[in-house]
């Protein structure tokens, strides 16, 4: 109780809440990521006491990850990379007039996922962090492949087209300086290409600009003057309870997956959302509804990405290893405050650690209120005619991409991938596997090649280390799950007929 | 064979593109430095080559699939190609792409304010917004973005030719 009261002081509360409002704004804006929101807030925290700064950082990260789901649901433009998976079913639900339910599910499940993630952070953080520390390149290679295998699961229609899209993303990830030798690959002398292709402008192009082009090419000029979103743009909490009661196992599963993946250094909220989505589809009784407006398809990624935030703090706090880019900034900020993240923090700064945990829990309740107000604010925006909204989305996408590195080249990337995404959709090549390939490509290549150096070119250790073997077996099981399920069903049907 | 057409369809095109990309990769990677196989050090070409080989397999599959399932896909005839450019809505989409190219080319020269305002005005006009509304909403959107990115997030936006008049 003393700790709770110590963080609910006005000098902490005001900057904390203001940061959370900023998080909603930044998160809902395509091109501006949760990492960017945290990076923007950190300079403001240098002159504040550590707990004020950490409350601001925690608050802004939780709201920005949730807010990314708002444009993902209503406009098919993910506000942050972590909302990439939320586009698939959230937008489909919106097209069916169930957008208010989808966004209400997003808000409640984000809160629940965040809460479970934080509770796990508080209770089992030392155990999970020590488990993640045992990982070497061999395990990370399998982990990345496991993430990539989800693209096969999430692909609708032709699996081959899903594979083509995924390999396309992997190929794109090879552009730039080689990780081992520093040799510039496929850069053709361009300094921009030497730095590699950033996945944020690619994602804005594939999902944002391609949707603008598609929308323009299928809407007549007469219809352009109508409201951008004809469905009811508000949160509908009436049937949320029933839907959540139906999916309580999924919420728990996604929270656990999210926290676990968040705790693995390098794998953040975006990977957590995709893996959770894939697992939800695998374990669902109605996997065929995924991608067509499935409630489970909304619940799984949105729960996991907020749960992952709690997970990312586990290695950061306990061992001083960042779980993702956000906690990397946090670690830098903590050092600026004169704190040394690691096991000693739990002894020397026990009061501060308890305050951090308390702030993380209370932030979830603030998220409920501020998230609801955020949705209301965006309701007003969506009442504009489609042609004006399309103009707004286009310019925000273009400037959002520019804002990342103040580079016109990134605007070009948005345009190129906007056109590519438009063409890919016309020939029914799915877009999400492309993004997944681009994100996970460097992780796969780096760990595969470094692993091979460690073993002098021998592939065998990739299969013989206990955790590697477990991941490899899981991967094989994922691919064999469907055929085995079919086989068992056939056998059961045959027995019943007998 | 009655009912079957061996004419080019979209699956064939996808297959050809996959193979073409693979060939481009395989023609560039021999110029990359070699690895040291004895110590397991793979060169920069290792991963792209692996992906190119997978893409060739994908491409061949698409060519085969496009041929055996030819009746399920419409052939790419000249009329179908011409129709892609004839529809008014599609023409608008192409025009928007050209506007975006113009935006990129003029962004540094004209600066953020002028380029954004001009782009938004032309974009809205093309999508059927009245002149007055286009002028008004372009102003509001440009101002909002300038406030958020330039002022609140202190992101440096190019001033372009306006820098000569002190803006």
């Amino acid at each position: 109780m003393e700790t709770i009261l110590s963080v609910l002081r006005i000098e902490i509360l005001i900057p904390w809440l203001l940061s959370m409002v900023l998080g909603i704004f930044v998160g809902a804006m395509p091109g501006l990521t949760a990492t960017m929101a945290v990076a923007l807030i950190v300079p403001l925290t240098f002159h504040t006491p550590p707990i004020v700064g950490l409350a601001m950082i925690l608050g802004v990260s939780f709201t920005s990850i949730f807010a990314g789901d708002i444009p993902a649901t209503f406009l098919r433009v993910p506000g942050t990379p972590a909302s990439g998976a939320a586009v698939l079913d959230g937008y489909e639900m919106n097209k069916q007039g169930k957008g208010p339910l989808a966004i209400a599910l997003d808000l409640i499940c984000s809160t629940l996922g965040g809460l479970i993630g934080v509770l796990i952070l508080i209770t089992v953080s030392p155990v999970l962090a020590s488990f993640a520390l045992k990982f070497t390149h061999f395990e990370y290679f399998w982990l990345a492949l496991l993430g990539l295998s989800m693209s096969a699961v999430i692909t609708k229609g032709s699996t081959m087209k899903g594979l083509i899209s995924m390999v396309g993303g992997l190929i794109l990830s090879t552009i730039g300086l080689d990780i081992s030798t520093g040799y510039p690959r496929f850069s053709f002398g361009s300094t921009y290409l030497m730095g590699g292709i950033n996945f944020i402008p690619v994602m804005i192009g594939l999902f944002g600009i391609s949707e603008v082009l598609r929308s323009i090419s299928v809407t007549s000029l007469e219809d352009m003057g109508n409201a951008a979103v004809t469905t009811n743009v508000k949160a509908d909490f009436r049937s949320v309870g029933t839907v959540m009661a139906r999916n309580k196992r999924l919420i728990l599963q996604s929270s656990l997956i999210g926290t676990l993946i968040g705790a693995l250094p390098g794998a953040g909220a975006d990977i957590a959302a995709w893996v959770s989505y894939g697992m939800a589809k695998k374990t669902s009784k109605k996997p065929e509804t995924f991608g067509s407006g499935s409630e489970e398809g909304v619940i799984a990624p949105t729960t996991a990405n907020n749960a992952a935030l709690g997970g990312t703090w586990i290695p950061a706090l306990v061992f001083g290893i960042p779980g993702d880019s956000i906690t990397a900034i946090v670690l830098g900020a903590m050092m600026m405050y004169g704190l040394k993240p690691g096991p000693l923090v739990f002894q020397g700064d026990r009061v501060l650690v308890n305050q951090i945990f308390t702030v993380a829990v209370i932030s979830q309740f603030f998220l409920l209120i501020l998230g609801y107000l955020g949705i209301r604010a965006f309701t007003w925006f969506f009442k504009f005619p489609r042609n004006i909204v399309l103009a707004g989305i286009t310019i925000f996408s273009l400037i959002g991409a520019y804002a990342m590195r103040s580079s016109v080249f990134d605007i070009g990337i948005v345009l190129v991938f906007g056109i590519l995404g438009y063409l890919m959709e016309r020939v029914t090549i799915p877009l999400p596997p492309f993004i997944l390939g681009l994100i996970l490509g460097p992780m796969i290549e780096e760990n595969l090649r470094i692993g091979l150096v460690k073993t002098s070119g021998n592939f065998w250790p990739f299969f013989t280390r206990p955790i590697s073997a477990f991941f490899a077996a899981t991967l094989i099981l994922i691919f064999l799950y469907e055929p085995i399920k079919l086989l068992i069903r056939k056998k059961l049907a045959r027995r019943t007929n007998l | 064979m009655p009912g079957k057409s061996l004419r080019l369809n979209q699956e064939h095109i996808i297959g050809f593109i996959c193979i073409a990309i693979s060939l481009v990769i395989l023609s560039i990677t021999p110029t990359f430095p070699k690895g040291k196989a004895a110590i397991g050090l793979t060169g920069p070409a290792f991963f792209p080559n692996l992906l190119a080989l997978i893409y060739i397999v994908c491409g061949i599959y698409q060519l085969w699939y496009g041929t055996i399932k030819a009746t399920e896909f419409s052939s790419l005839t000249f009329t179908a190609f011409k129709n892609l450019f004839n529809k008014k809505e599609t023409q608008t989409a192409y025009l928007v792409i050209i506007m975006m190219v113009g935006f990129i080319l003029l962004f540094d020269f004209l600066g953020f304010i002028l380029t954004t305002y001009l782009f938004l005005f032309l974009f809205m006009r093309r999508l059927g917004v009245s002149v007055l509304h286009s002028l008004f909403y372009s102003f509001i959107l440009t101002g909002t973005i300038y406030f958020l990115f330039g002022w609140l997030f202190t992101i440096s936006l190019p001033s372009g030719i306006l820098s000569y008049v002190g803006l």
Side-chain angles (χ1 to χ4, degrees), chain A residues 287-321:
Chain A
E288 70 282 357
T289 60
F290 276 66
S292 326
S294 157
E295 289 160 354
E296 293 168 274
V298 170
I299 291 171
T302 197
T303 310
N305 60 19
N306 267 53
L309 285 178
T312 56
W313 278 73
I314 296 171
L317 264 187
V318 182
F319 294 102
I321 299 169

Side-chain angles (χ1 to χ4, degrees), chain B residues 37 49 78 87 121 159:
Chain B
N49 281 346
F78 178 72
K87 214 176 134 204
F121 177 76
S159 307

Side-chain angles (χ1 to χ4, degrees), chain A residues 161 164 185 217 219 387 449, chain B residues 11 42 44 55 87 89 127:
Chain A
K161 284 186 179 169
I164 288 171
R185 297 187 297 195
S217 61
T219 315
N387 40 23
R449 288 174 65 189
Chain B
E11 307 301 304
T42 51
Y55 237 27
K87 214 176 134 204
E89 287 79 22
L127 295 192

Side-chain angles (χ1 to χ4, degrees), chain A residues 351-491:
Chain A
V351 175
L352 181 70
V353 171
N354 285 341
Q355 283 182 322
I356 293 172
F357 289 160
T358 311
V359 163
V361 172
I362 297 173
S363 288
Q364 308 310 319
F365 297 101
F366 288 160
L367 171 63
L368 262 186
I369 303 160
L370 294 172
Y372 177 73
L373 294 175
I375 297 164
R376 292 290 296 265
F378 277 86
T379 305
W380 173 79
F381 175 69
F382 292 142
K383 282 195 177 142
F384 278 94
R386 180 180 289 273
N387 40 23
I388 291 167
V389 171
L390 284 177
I393 293 170
T394 308
I395 202 67
F396 267 99
S397 298
L398 298 178
I399 302 296
Y402 175 83
M404 288 285 303
R405 302 189 288 188
S406 294
S407 160
V408 178
F409 179 76
D410 284 341
I411 307 180
I413 295 282
V414 169
L415 177 59
V416 168
F417 285 93
I419 298 169
L420 183 72
Y422 173 66
L423 294 174
M424 280 167 75
E425 287 213 306
R426 280 194 84 134
V427 292
T428 64
I429 294 179
L431 303 179
F434 191 90
I435 290 291
L436 216 54
L438 183 61
I439 294 174
L440 291 174
M443 196 173 167
I444 291 172
E445 185 182 7
E446 184 183 345
N447 290 298
L448 174 65
R449 288 174 65 189
I450 295 178
L452 283 173
V453 169
K454 278 184 171 177
T455 62
S456 303
N458 184 4
F459 278 93
W460 194 235
F462 280 92
F463 298 92
T464 51
R465 290 172 58 89
I467 303 171
S468 288
F470 170 75
F471 280 147
T474 311
L475 194 67
I476 294 166
L477 273 178
I478 285 173
F479 281 105
L480 290 181
Y481 179 77
E482 283 297 328
I484 291 173
K485 204 167 81 176
L486 267 174
L487 208 74
I488 294 171
R489 269 190 196 162
K490 269 186 185 173
K491 274 197 172 178

Side-chain angles (χ1 to χ4, degrees), chain A residues 71-355:
Chain A
T73 303
F74 292 109
L75 297 173
R76 199 180 173 237
V77 183
T80 66
S83 294
V87 168
L88 304 178
D89 285 278
Y91 186 68
E92 285 301 319
M93 277 185 80
N94 180 50
K95 281 202 316 202
Q96 296 159 16
K98 292 191 275 185
L101 173 63
I103 201 67
L105 279 172
D106 275 329
L107 180 57
I108 305 286
C109 291
S110 291
T111 308
L112 260 180
L115 197 60
I116 294 172
V118 169
L119 290 178
I120 294 173
L121 162 75
I122 296 169
T123 51
V124 297
S125 60
V127 184
L128 272 177
S130 60
F131 177 68
L133 265 187
K134 286 178 188 159
F135 282 26
T136 62
H137 296 286
F138 306 107
E139 285 78 24
Y140 275 112
F141 167 73
W142 285 113
L143 184 73
L145 268 191
L146 209 60
L148 210 55
S149 73
M150 292 303 153
S151 71
V153 179
I154 58 180
T155 297
K156 273 173 76 185
S158 162
T159 312
M160 181 51 77
K161 284 186 179 169
L163 184 68
I164 288 171
S165 179
M166 186 189 80
V167 179
L170 285 171
I171 289 173
L172 197 71
S173 77
T174 63
I175 294 176
L177 296 178
D178 174 45
I179 37 145
S180 295
T181 59
Y183 184 81
R185 297 187 297 195
F186 311 113
S187 56
F188 308 104
S190 157
T191 46
Y192 293 114
L193 288 175
M194 271 183 208
I197 304 281
N198 190 312
F199 78 91
I200 292 170
V202 174
M203 199 175 76
I204 294 174
L206 281 180
F207 289 112
I209 297 298
S210 78
E211 176 62 17
V212 169
L213 294 175
R214 193 199 60 80
S215 196
I216 290 172
S217 61
V218 297
T219 315
S220 65
L221 277 182
E222 294 75 43
D223 289 338
M224 275 288 174
N226 298 331
V229 180
T230 47
T231 50
N232 210 358
V233 184
K234 61 177 185 182
D236 178 6
F237 293 93
R238 280 170 304 176
S239 44
V240 165
T242 326
V243 176
M244 286 180 60
R246 265 204 307 265
N247 293 290
K248 39 186 191 293
R249 188 194 55 80
L250 177 65
I251 293 170
L252 192 65
Q253 171 187 307
S254 306
S255 302
L256 293 176
I257 291 172
T259 314
L260 188 69
I261 290 177
L264 302 173
D270 40 353
I271 296 178
W274 284 110
V275 173
S276 175
Y277 184 88
M279 287 304 289
K281 189 175 177 182
K282 272 282 169 204
T283 53
S284 171
K285 285 175 187 160
K286 293 180 283 180
E288 70 282 357
T289 60
F290 276 66
S292 326
S294 157
E295 289 160 354
E296 293 168 274
V298 170
I299 291 171
T302 197
T303 310
N305 60 19
N306 267 53
L309 285 178
T312 56
W313 278 73
I314 296 171
L317 264 187
V318 182
F319 294 102
I321 299 169
D324 65 350
S325 49
I326 294 175
T327 40
I329 300 171
V330 172
L331 287 180
M334 285 177 89
M335 284 168 191
M336 287 289 294
Y337 306 145
L339 302 167
K340 279 186 184 163
L344 288 178
V345 159
F346 285 83
Q347 294 164 6
D349 296 294
R350 187 71 225 180
V351 175
L352 181 70
V353 171
N354 285 341
Q355 283 182 322

Side-chain angles (χ1 to χ4, degrees), chain A residues 20 22 36 40 47 107 265 328 338 440 456 483:
Chain A
M20 291 185 82
L22 177 81
M36 190 178 182
L40 287 168
H47 303 290
L107 180 57
L440 291 174
S456 303

